[in-house]
Amino acid sequence: DPMFTSLLALERRFVKRDQMILHCAYMEYQGEAVLFSAPSETGKTTQANLWEKYRGSRTVNGDRSLLGKIGGRWMAQGWPVCGTSEVCNNETIPIKAVVMLSQAKENRAERLTPGCAFPLLYSQITVNKWNAADHIHTLDLIEDFLSRVPVFYLECTISEGAVRCLEKLIFDSYGKMG
C-alpha cells in the first residue's frame, strides 16, 4: 500500500537523524514509556491493554514507535501507523524499558544482557539492509540503545499475573536502581 511504502522510505531519512522504527505496542506508565515488542500476533497490544486495565497505563501506539535521543536520553515518539489497535498518538516519552514478548502457559520475566537482547531487538526494527552505510549505522544505534535502555524478556499469559510479574522486575528492582 502507498502509505506503508512511503513510511518505509522515511526510515532511511530517520536513520540519518539517529532514529529507528520499532515494531511495538508503546504505552505510558508513571510518565515513562514501556515498549512491548514481538512478531505480529504475539500479544503486544494485549499486554498493553492488560496494563491499562490493571494499572491505569495508557497505550500511545499499538504498532510502531520512532526511537530517538533527545538530550542524551532515548525517547519513544509517535508514529502514524497503528496496526489493528487503531491507537496512534503523536507523543514523545522517555523510555523506561523494552519488553520482548512470547506467549506461554506461565508468566516468567528476566532482564536480558545486551548480547541476548540485540538479535531480538534487531528483528523488530525496520532496517534497510540493502544500504550498507545505513545498515551499519542502525547496528551502531541499536548498540547505543542497548547500553542505555534495559530490555526484558517476558513469557506470558493473558492475565494480571503477567502484569505483576513484569511490574515487579521493572519497577521494583530496576526502578530503584535507575
Side-chain angles (χ1 to χ4, degrees), residues 110-152:
E110 67 178 310
R111 184 170 178 175
L112 297 175
T113 64
C116 289
F118 192 99
L120 297 172
L121 192 63
Y122 175 81
S123 72
Q124 297 304 311
I125 289 180
T126 304
V127 179
N128 282 331
K129 294 177 185 164
W130 57 87
N131 180 309
D134 287 351
H135 188 207
I136 290 168
H137 188 59
T138 301
L139 297 174
D140 291 339
L141 290 173
I142 294 170
E143 186 177 1
D144 181 77
F145 183 88
L146 291 172
S147 74
R148 299 168 190 268
V149 177
V151 177
F152 299 87

Side-chain angles (χ1 to χ4, degrees), residues 47-75:
Q47 288 300 312
N49 288 342
L50 289 171
W51 277 77
E52 283 188 21
K53 179 178 180 179
Y54 295 114
R55 297 298 184 271
S57 71
R58 184 175 55 85
T59 301
V60 178
N61 189 298
D63 193 54
R64 306 249 184 238
S65 177
L66 181 63
L67 310 179
K69 282 200 284 191
I70 298 174
R73 182 157 186 202
W74 280 96
M75 308 290 271

Side-chain angles (χ1 to χ4, degrees), residues 167-178:
E167 180 180 42
K168 181 177 176 155
L169 185 61
I170 294 177
F171 292 94
D172 290 351
S173 301
Y174 175 75
K176 291 178 181 151
M177 296 178 344

Side-chain angles (χ1 to χ4, degrees), residues 82-132:
C82 55
T84 57
S85 73
E86 299 185 14
V87 176
C88 55
N89 299 297
N90 187 17
E91 297 179 35
T92 301
I93 301 173
I95 301 171
K96 175 77 167 182
V98 174
V99 180
M100 305 306 294
L101 295 175
S102 69
Q103 297 174 356
K105 294 184 186 212
E106 294 183 20
N107 299 306
R108 188 180 73 79
E110 67 178 310
R111 184 170 178 175
L112 297 175
T113 64
C116 289
F118 192 99
L120 297 172
L121 192 63
Y122 175 81
S123 72
Q124 297 304 311
I125 289 180
T126 304
V127 179
N128 282 331
K129 294 177 185 164
W130 57 87
N131 180 309

